[in-house]
Amino acid sequence: MVKTAVYFLILNLLTVVGCRTVVIDPEPIIVTDTITVTDTITINDTITVNDTITVSDTVTVNDTVTVTDTVTVTDTVTVTDTITVTDTVTVPEEKQLIPSTIQIDDKYRSLIPNQEIALVVGGEGDGKVTITSNNPEVISYDTGSCMLTAGKVGKAIITITKDSTCTHSRVSLDFQIIVTNNIPLIIINTEGNQEITSKDIYLKADISVLDPNNPRNNLEKTGYNDEIRGRGNYSWKDCPKKSYRIKFNKKIPLFGLEAAKSWILLANYLDPTLIMNATAFELANRFKIKYSHHFFHVDVILNGEYLGNYLLTEHNQVGAGRVDIDKTNGFLVELDHYYDEEPKFTTDYYELPVMIKSPEYSQYEGAGYSEEYSFVREKINTIEALLYNNGESAPDSGYKDHIDLQSMVNYILIYEIVKNNEIVRPKSVFMYMDRDNIVRMGPLWDFDWAFHPIDYGDHLSYFADAHGTISKHAFFRKFYSDPEFIESYKKRWNEMKSEIIDMENFMDQMKQKLELSSMANTAVWNLAFDFEEEIEKMKQWWRDRIIYLDAEINGL
């Protein structure tokens, strides 16, 4: 278009020759017929066009047009017919712009609720900077103060744009900011935002993980290929904050753990400290109980709603990184008075309610008991028969050929330390057997009712009394009739006493780590207790419990 304007100016200003500026006044120039240029035209200076030039017919150039300086068009050039150039037109090469860049410090990647921070944008280029947020409820930006403000827990995409200048090109950058309580964030979106109402039926979901302290743990899932359902018995039926089982479509190594599909999110609704299950799991790991749980406190967002603090841990199942036993010749069972999962059976002597978790002979989850499981029943009944010993006060010592004594010592001792009376029912008690045909206890599970709670109807009050021993089911009481068990029990207590005492440091670490998340959890569920006060009560209870048990156990 610029070249066309030049041709018309030359043809209308044939008297203009030499090296000076020619300015066309702001009046239209209209060419309505054929103009032919048959020789060389050279322009050595600036021509400025300030208004409209309209070409309504043919312009033919049969020779060279050379432009050696600037042509500026500040308005419209309209061509309504053909321009034919049959030779060379030479114009100066356009100036190459330098690419702009945007640099953002990593400190902006993770913020805590209500945090304000000035956003400093670095990088090449000084074009005008524009900043927007796709989720102002999570991250908002004030153009006047250049401040980012963190709102509710979640994630937001911040878009930063630098405009182009005479020297630099335009550039845009999207980066993600997560707002968390300094712990990992798990974001779950069910397909169609469906509400989770069943602990039996899975819903399709996307499950993402954002870790402010270790981005290598981050996980982004799309396509609704994962699944989620409810879990639990009392907690599912009677607690407003629900626990969940999540299931990925392929094995995922969450937080660096062994890859697996199924994981558990424990709500810990009844627990004023949020760490009672974590304390039991930590103690089990210190006792080196095989296949004990790992655990990670996380914040959870479900379908855009913040649900508070959860404990993520492994699902109790047979497999690598879980209860890693032979899937054909071994077994994993749960003793639980709810007795609500198939396949199941009750034992002959102590009427233990046994639910078989593995092996799984049927392709259908929850298929009933069949004779294929008879080796599980026979093994547990054999142990019971030797313990019962025809009603004698002491068990037949042959029971130790079938069950690992040390695993039973560790298992019962931890129940006693944290004062979990649910072993009397029993409830959530796991045992397994590998190909060596020896039954062992574990993994430990479910300590919501430990630490001596008192039920006031509308709430539980924990840490009521550090004294007293727990009630035990007759099956477990019978072990105390064996002098070898008692000696092993006392020995193990004294071996582990320093580790048990040190658990106070673990409680302090958890208090510091969960300070922000506990405040958010308390607010969202309108809880009446104070997190820090409850941790301090727990620590005092722990000290008193150690003093009591030291005398009680060593006096056996």
Side-chain angles (χ1 to χ4, degrees):
M1 301 301 182
V2 172
K3 298 162 193 168
T4 303
V6 173
Y7 307 153
F8 301 151
L9 289 171
I10 295 303
L11 293 169
N12 283 275
L13 296 168
L14 295 176
T15 60
V16 179
V17 182
C19 302
R20 65 180 184 275
T21 302
V22 178
V23 180
I24 303 301
D25 291 332
E27 293 182 4
I29 296 175
I30 302 174
V31 182
T32 61
D33 210 335
T34 300
I35 298 174
T36 303
V37 181
T38 60
D39 211 334
T40 300
I41 298 174
T42 303
I43 302 169
N44 295 317
D45 211 333
T46 303
I47 296 176
T48 304
V49 181
N50 295 318
D51 212 326
T52 303
I53 296 176
T54 304
V55 180
S56 58
D57 211 326
T58 303
V59 176
T60 304
V61 181
N62 296 318
D63 212 328
T64 303
V65 177
T66 305
V67 181
T68 60
D69 211 325
T70 305
V71 177
T72 304
V73 180
T74 60
D75 211 323
T76 304
V77 177
T78 304
V79 180
T80 61
D81 210 326
T82 304
I83 298 176
T84 304
V85 180
T86 60
D87 212 325
T88 304
V89 177
T90 305
V91 296
E93 197 172 299
E94 288 189 13
K95 186 174 181 181
Q96 193 72 24
L97 294 179
I98 301 169
S100 294
T101 61
I102 294 174
Q103 293 179 347
I104 298 294
D105 196 289
D106 281 343
K107 68 183 178 182
Y108 300 109
R109 301 294 178 180
S110 173
L111 304 177
I112 62 175
N114 302 316
Q115 181 180 356
E116 291 186 338
I117 187 169
L119 178 60
V120 178
V121 179
E124 290 289 330
D126 58 356
K128 179 183 177 183
V129 175
T130 304
I131 299 170
T132 58
S133 169
N134 77 331
N135 196 346
E137 289 187 335
V138 175
I139 292 290
S140 61
Y141 178 73
D142 182 74
T143 55
S145 63
C146 300
M147 298 293 287
L148 291 172
T149 301
K152 67 180 187 179
V153 170
K155 69 175 180 177
I157 303 298
I158 304 300
T159 300
I160 302 175
T161 303
K162 274 187 184 179
D163 287 346
S164 61
T165 65
C166 60
T167 58
H168 286 75
S169 62
R170 183 180 184 276
V171 68
S172 183
L173 171 71
D174 289 343
F175 76 100
Q176 179 176 270
I177 298 179
I178 63 172
V179 177
T180 77
N181 294 301
N182 282 337
I183 61 173
L185 175 63
I186 293 184
I187 300 174
I188 303 169
N189 293 300
T190 61
E191 189 172 24
N193 283 343
Q194 296 177 80
E195 184 180 356
I196 303 168
T197 59
S198 171
K199 65 173 190 171
D200 301 310
I201 300 172
Y202 280 102
L203 297 181
K204 293 292 185 180
D206 286 334
I207 303 170
S208 300
V209 178
L210 297 171
D211 188 343
N213 303 309
N214 188 354
R216 288 178 298 179
N217 292 329
N218 290 355
L219 174 69
E220 192 79 25
K221 300 297 292 294
T222 59
Y224 300 108
N225 295 314
D226 306 321
E227 296 179 313
I228 183 171
R229 64 171 172 83
R231 68 159 309 280
N233 287 303
Y234 174 87
S235 61
W236 178 256
K237 182 169 63 77
D238 295 322
C239 296
K241 183 184 179 187
K242 310 298 185 183
S243 296
Y244 300 102
R245 177 176 170 182
I246 58 177
K247 189 175 182 181
F248 295 100
N249 68 326
K250 63 179 181 179
K251 292 183 177 182
I252 300 292
L254 288 184
F255 301 105
L257 299 179
E258 186 83 30
K261 289 184 178 182
S262 293
W263 303 82
I264 299 298
L265 287 167
L266 294 175
N268 292 329
Y269 177 74
L270 299 173
D271 178 4
T273 69
L274 301 175
I275 67 168
M276 293 196 305
N277 277 300
T279 299
F281 294 162
E282 175 69 14
L283 204 55
N285 280 291
R286 294 190 182 199
F287 270 68
K288 292 183 170 52
I289 295 179
K290 206 169 184 180
Y291 309 131
S292 292
H293 285 261
H294 303 89
F295 55 91
F296 296 88
H297 284 93
V298 298
D299 282 326
V300 172
I301 294 176
L302 175 61
N303 292 333
E305 181 183 0
Y306 174 67
L307 296 188
N309 182 280
Y310 278 72
L311 192 70
L312 182 131
T313 188
E314 298 98 334
H315 174 54
N316 284 319
Q317 63 183 152
V318 171
R322 303 296 169 90
V323 182
D324 196 1
I325 60 175
D326 188 282
K327 292 185 177 181
T328 303
N329 300 305
F331 64 74
L332 172 68
V333 299
E334 179 183 9
L335 313 182
D336 196 300
H337 76 112
Y338 278 106
Y339 199 55
D340 57 354
E341 295 180 20
E342 295 283 359
K344 61 185 180 181
F345 66 90
T346 56
T347 57
D348 293 345
Y349 293 89
Y350 292 103
E351 296 184 340
L352 289 172
V354 180
M355 298 184 294
I356 301 172
K357 303 297 183 178
S358 179
E360 299 177 34
Y361 290 119
S362 173
Q363 61 179 318
Y364 302 106
E365 186 175 346
Y369 181 86
S370 68
E371 286 308 308
E372 294 171 297
Y373 296 107
S374 60
F375 78 102
V376 180
R377 187 172 198 153
E378 288 170 6
K379 188 65 174 182
I380 298 176
N381 278 332
T382 296
I383 295 170
E384 278 198 344
L386 292 167
L387 279 172
Y388 184 71
N389 197 18
N390 295 317
E392 297 292 328
S393 59
D396 185 318
S397 62
Y399 80 87
K400 286 176 282 230
D401 294 332
H402 299 273
I403 189 168
D404 184 87
L405 185 66
Q406 191 60 49
S407 78
M408 183 62 76
V409 166
N410 286 332
Y411 196 87
I412 295 180
L413 186 52
I414 290 178
Y415 266 80
E416 191 68 78
I417 293 168
V418 300
K419 206 172 184 183
N420 187 357
N421 280 292
E422 290 203 302
I423 202 170
V424 71
R425 301 187 180 205
K427 182 177 176 292
S428 300
V429 172
F430 285 84
M431 57 173 60
Y432 64 90
M433 184 185 77
D434 206 350
R435 64 178 66 210
D436 64 358
N437 290 322
I438 301 296
V439 173
R440 293 174 175 85
M441 302 302 297
L444 283 99
W445 186 248
D446 191 2
F447 287 79
D448 286 345
W449 293 84
F451 298 94
H452 199 126
I454 295 178
D455 190 348
Y456 288 100
D458 60 341
H459 73 283
L460 296 177
S461 178
Y462 289 85
F463 318 115
D465 186 1
H467 295 174
T469 58
I470 60 173
S471 301
K472 304 172 185 70
H473 189 278
F475 173 78
F476 296 101
R477 284 201 309 270
K478 195 59 181 280
F479 287 91
Y480 286 79
S481 301
D482 181 0
E484 185 178 349
F485 173 87
I486 294 297
E487 287 306 308
S488 296
Y489 193 71
K490 292 163 65 174
K491 180 181 179 183
R492 191 59 171 157
W493 164 262
N494 289 298
E495 285 175 349
M496 294 301 298
K497 189 160 61 175
S498 62
E499 286 284 353
I500 299 167
I501 292 170
D502 186 65
M503 285 294 295
E504 247 193 274
N505 289 324
F506 170 80
M507 296 170 191
D508 279 330
Q509 292 166 10
M510 291 295 102
K511 182 174 85 168
Q512 181 178 1
K513 181 178 182 178
L514 301 180
E515 178 184 4
L516 292 173
S517 184
S518 68
M519 292 169 59
N521 187 78
T522 298
V524 76
W525 294 107
N526 195 29
L527 303 175
F529 46 72
D530 182 274
F531 170 74
E532 291 192 8
E533 286 182 8
E534 294 295 328
I535 292 286
E536 291 305 313
K537 286 164 61 176
M538 183 186 208
K539 288 163 57 182
Q540 183 59 57
W541 185 93
W542 194 262
R543 290 191 288 268
D544 294 343
R545 185 71 177 158
I546 290 171
I547 292 171
Y548 170 80
L549 287 178
D550 195 42
E552 180 70 21
I553 292 173
N554 284 311
L556 290 174

